[in-house]
Amino acid sequence: MANYQTILVDNKDGVTTITLNRPEKRNAMSPQLHRDMYDCLTDLRYDKDTRVIIITGAGESFCAGQDLKQYFIEMDSQPERVRDEVREKSRQWRNEILRKMPQPVIAKINGWVFGGGFTVVTGCDIAIAADDVQLGLSEVNFGHFPGGEVTIVLSENLQPKHALYYALTGKTMSAKEAERIGLITKAVPRADLDKEVMEIANNLKEKAPSALNAVKEAWYYTFYSNPDVAYEISGLISDKAKAAIGGRPGLQQFARKEYRPGLGSYKVEEKK
Ligand code: COA
């Protein structure tokens, strides 16, 4: 694994944890952090030892959004080529690459989430937060609005009366409130955060990687399609998943009464 300046990457037993590692800046996303995340995710998609990815933050923050100095003030005076490169990588890793990763990605929300940090949360497939975490769309507080992809992604994820309330007032919300409005999967007591996330990661590790990839592809690729196109896409994903797994081994094990699909995964043969 390459050495990165702003993130830590650790693999243990098939679970790769990426830690946003600028705690002194509350893990605000600098141009270098966008480059590091872009490169890291691009590598991990081909890493057979990565079955599940967890994204978390170092210190007391998950992600304080874009680095207000480096991403905005300093970028304004950069050449257009650099601005385009950074903005494109910033957009792609959060709003495109995370969704297209074959592995499931879990946000382990250990602390603050502000502004652009929301799109790290929405980019992940599952998001678990410690219950004392606060999240906020603070842009209006500094005279901006949730720009770039933030408004676009929020309108996919939230009801207007929830998203507009927080975008207009700039007030923070609790993790419980984020759970209630569907921004995150679940808020858990802080003491249980690691255990809860590892329990989910271990569950996912038991599943066939091609089935997990198919779940993501079906979800994200059919989202904007009309129903008949979505149905065709679903059929193609199904054929691909079946080819990747060599038929229907899970159903054959069921037919042999080797397990109960309602209660857990079939025994997946490792295919390297
Ligand atoms: N961009 C750049 N720097 C940031 C930052 C951001 N988004 N968020 C925090 N920092 C920096 C501070 O400038 C400070 O740096 P310094 O020590 O060099 O002065 C350091 O991180 C610590 O910040 P501080 O405000 O002292 O920490 P805190 O724990 O008291 O408060 C926050 C934490 C997250 C509530 C507060 O830093 C904050 O409001 N940050 C801005 C969040 C935001 O609006 N983000 C939206 C961006 S799109």
Side-chain angles (χ1 to χ4, degrees):
M1 196 66 63
N3 271 330
Y4 300 104
Q5 294 175 40
T6 63
I7 59 176
L8 300 172
V9 185
D10 174 60
N11 179 287
K12 199 161 173 231
D13 300 331
V15 178
T16 296
T17 301
I18 304 173
T19 305
L20 308 181
N21 191 33
R22 302 183 72 219
E24 73 290 353
K25 300 291 179 192
R26 305 300 180 257
N27 304 321
M29 296 180 287
S30 61
Q32 187 58 42
L33 187 140
H34 291 304
R35 293 186 181 105
D36 286 348
M37 285 302 292
Y38 180 95
D39 290 347
C40 174
L41 293 171
T42 302
D43 278 350
L44 285 182
R45 77 174 292 114
Y46 302 105
D47 180 22
K48 295 290 175 227
D49 293 329
T50 296
R51 302 281 294 269
V52 179
I53 297 170
I54 296 170
I55 299 181
T56 192
E60 65 206 60
S61 181
F62 177 73
C63 177
Q66 296 288 9
D67 187 306
L68 296 174
K69 295 171 198 156
Q70 290 190 36
Y71 189 83
F72 291 112
I73 301 172
E74 292 172 18
M75 277 264 284
D76 286 345
S77 56
Q78 290 293 314
E80 191 180 1
R81 192 174 157 280
V82 175
R83 291 203 308 268
D84 284 351
E85 181 243 339
V86 171
R87 285 181 184 147
E88 200 43 29
K89 286 187 171 159
S90 159
R91 181 190 71 77
Q92 280 189 21
W93 80 260
R94 291 172 299 149
N95 302 297
E96 204 175 296
I97 296 178
L98 282 176
R99 295 178 183 198
K100 289 185 177 169
M101 293 300 285
Q103 305 94 337
V105 187
I106 307 171
K108 181 167 93 176
I109 305 173
N110 57 302
W112 301 111
V113 182
F114 285 105
F118 273 54
T119 57
V120 181
V121 173
T122 55
C124 294
D125 307 304
I126 295 171
I128 310 295
D131 59 1
D132 56 357
V133 158
Q134 295 283 317
L135 309 90
L137 288 169
S138 53
E139 289 90 337
V140 75
N141 293 337
F142 50 86
H144 286 215
F145 73 103
E149 311 75 44
V150 184
T151 291
I152 301 163
V153 169
L154 287 177
S155 62
E156 283 176 359
N157 281 267
L158 296 180
Q159 296 295 323
K161 295 296 182 288
H162 294 145
L164 285 167
Y165 172 78
Y166 286 107
L168 287 167
T169 64
K171 283 173 181 266
T172 56
M173 70 179 89
S174 67
K176 270 283 167 211
E177 172 70 351
E179 175 188 316
R180 187 185 73 81
I181 66 176
L183 179 64
I184 65 169
T185 311
K186 202 173 359 172
V188 299
R190 175 165 290 277
D192 296 342
L193 182 63
D194 289 347
K195 193 175 68 169
E196 179 78 24
V197 169
M198 276 320 291
E199 193 277 323
I200 297 168
N202 286 330
N203 170 302
L204 295 168
K205 257 171 50 183
E206 288 175 8
K207 310 285 192 279
S210 55
L212 295 174
N213 187 27
V215 171
K216 290 185 64 164
E217 288 188 341
W219 183 267
Y220 295 121
Y221 290 152
T222 62
F223 193 79
Y224 290 109
S225 308
N226 63 33
D228 51 342
V229 174
Y231 188 73
E232 285 303 314
I233 294 173
S234 184
L236 294 171
I237 293 169
S238 176
D239 292 345
K240 193 171 84 164
K242 212 165 71 184
I245 217 168
R248 302 190 190 277
L251 295 191
Q252 280 152 10
Q253 288 181 23
F254 172 64
R256 293 196 295 269
K257 290 192 178 297
E258 290 174 4
Y259 77 114
R260 292 183 172 81
L263 304 180
S265 177
Y266 80 101
K267 190 171 179 314
V268 177
E269 300 298 334
E270 288 291 337
K271 208 171 136 189
K272 286 265 170 181

